[in-house]
Amino acid sequence: MSVLIGILLIVASIVMIVTVLLQSSERSGLGAVSGAAETFFGKNKARGMEAKLALATKISATVFVALSVLMMFVG
């Protein structure tokens, strides 16, 4: 059981890494700290492929955390 969870944990982490790396950066360096960049709740919402990558990142992160907690109890 712990081997299966470990394999799923590795797959979830690889999917999360790939989806984060495929996303384009929306920040402009240190300007984001001072408020020069667009806020999180800005008018330009991600559409198309960016939205799918953001959703895949959220799902893989949730699966990763859930599997990590499950691995703690099983292993």
Side-chain angles (χ1 to χ4, degrees), residues 23-40:
Q23 292 179 11
S24 64
S25 175
E26 296 178 4
R27 301 280 160 99
S28 58
L30 290 176
V33 174
S34 65
E38 187 176 339
T39 63
F40 179 74

Side-chain angles (χ1 to χ4, degrees), residues 1-67:
M1 183 73 170
S2 85
V3 173
L4 178 65
I5 295 172
I7 292 171
L8 291 174
L9 192 61
I10 291 171
V11 170
S13 65
I14 290 172
V15 169
M16 188 168 47
I17 290 169
V18 169
T19 56
V20 167
L21 289 177
L22 286 176
Q23 292 179 11
S24 64
S25 175
E26 296 178 4
R27 301 280 160 99
S28 58
L30 290 176
V33 174
S34 65
E38 187 176 339
T39 63
F40 179 74
F41 299 105
K43 296 178 184 175
N44 296 330
K45 297 281 185 183
R47 301 193 197 287
M49 190 61 160
E50 290 293 323
K52 291 177 185 175
L53 284 172
L55 179 63
T57 303
K58 291 175 188 176
I59 291 172
S60 62
T62 304
V63 169
F64 179 80
V65 170
L67 286 173

